Amino acid sequence: MTTQQNRFDTLAIHAGQHPDPTTGDAIPAIHVTSTYTQDGIGGLRGGYEYSRGGNPTRTALEEQLAAIEGGAAGISFASGLAAEDALLRAVVSPGDHVLVPNDVYGGTHRLVRTIHGKAGVAHSTVDTADLDAVRAAVRPESRVLWVETPSNPLMKISDIPALAQLAHEHDLLLVVDNTFASPALQRPLDLGADVVVHSTTKYLGGHSDVVGGAVVVGHGRDGKGGEELAEQVRYVQFAAGAVSSPFDAFLTTRGIKTLAVRMQRHSENAQVLAERLVHHPAVARVLYPGLPDHPGHKVAAHQMSRFGGMISLDLAGGEAAARAFAESTHVFLLAESLGGVESLVNYPSAMTHASVRGTEAEVPPSIVRLSVGLEDVTDLLEDVEQALDRV
Ligand SMILES: *Cc1c(COP(=O)(O)O)cnc(C)c1O
């Protein structure tokens, strides 16, 4: 039996996981079905009619997502971008305006700029770590303040409680992309955000074997948001169809069960690497919120329980050094994505963030991004140092 009173690690393992009533399966079956037999027309057994509208394996994941983020409802999608798109469709209309961070994830920037821009939704980019800049950027037609903290890939920290207050003064919906921290380290809804989005492809899935996304809606304020907003997002999902498959939902649920222990080890390994790499002559700056001289360290220490597994390095030798480094590691695999048990190195300006070249969200060419995995930290250190020695 799990209740809202259970603590995070317990919820992550048990929420939504109801043993099968007939067989007692401790792990619920993967419901590989597109449709459900009806006992007479409209006689649905579990409320399920067709798997675009709902599937028991997806429901199990959605209950788990709501529980670990402390939300009113979780809604599981085919990808992180599908989740973001459905949320935006539910909350903005032509003529509205959306504020996004100036170093927002490239795919989010592209979604807002090209897909929603074409649908008549305006956007502007702003440094969400600077409250005065955010306040100055709000327009009468602004509806949404979008935040990523830590940000991808510049690892900027934005103050969630302060942004929540600012957003609500202007009647904006505060959306936090919690992909980098995960709810094991940071719970935006508890800090005042209205909605959390995830690429569950990353830490929640945790094993680089599934693409998925989620929207978790908070409990609402002043009678707005909460279950009503969740219904609007569910409607978009049902009508537009970007659902996660039963097998993908199962893999994500399985990943979430070990999230807390993984995030602990990701954070420990990243802290060791960050502290060591600040001394390397090839590294101009280590961007990691766990370092005391990171500009967001204080805010991060307040709103995160640990600092996570993502580090970016600004290499002294610029673009050539960054490219050479990214192609010289052995344990760190050169690949897009992040958050898996295996360490990855990414060159954002030509890989994950290539789509924002030439825009305000462009990433400097001297930056490399590390997703620090769960391997032995000495192997990781040796690998990074031998690659830095080559640049
Ligand atoms: C990967 C990522 C996304 C997009 O998610 P997909 O699952 O790739 O669609 C959104 N936000 C952040 C921060 C990401 O890292």
Side-chain angles (χ1 to χ4, degrees), residues 79-81 84 105 148 152 177 179-180 199 201-202 211-212 338:
S79 70
L81 285 175
E84 296 181 11
Y105 168 70
E148 250 180 65
N152 178 7
D177 183 336
T179 298
F180 263 40
S199 169
T201 313
K202 318 291 171 53
V211 172
L338 61 110

Side-chain angles (χ1 to χ4, degrees), residues 2-3 115 122 131 226 246 296:
T2 57
T3 66
I115 305 294
L131 291 174

Side-chain angles (χ1 to χ4, degrees), residues 211-236:
V211 172
V215 172
V216 182
V217 178
H219 291 277
R221 62 194 158 83
D222 312 329
K224 283 190 292 189
E227 197 42 55
E228 188 187 320
L229 175 57
E231 267 319 306
Q232 290 163 347
V233 178
R234 279 196 200 100
Y235 179 79
V236 175

Side-chain angles (χ1 to χ4, degrees), residues 2 11 14-18 28 59-61 63-64:
T2 57
L11 288 171
H14 293 287
Q17 302 292 290
H18 311 294
T59 303
L61 169 59
E63 286 181 20
Q64 190 188 26

Side-chain angles (χ1 to χ4, degrees), residues 77-84 104-108 110 146-152 177-180 197-202 210-214 310 337-338 352-353 369:
F77 288 85
S79 70
L81 285 175
E84 296 181 11
V104 69
Y105 168 70
T108 303
R110 180 177 53 205
W146 194 280
V147 175
E148 250 180 65
T149 180
S151 70
N152 178 7
D177 183 336
N178 204 25
T179 298
F180 263 40
V197 297
H198 275 284
S199 169
T200 57
T201 313
K202 318 291 171 53
V210 59
V211 172
M310 299 302 298
S337 200
L338 61 110
T352 48
H353 290 64
R369 189 188 74 184

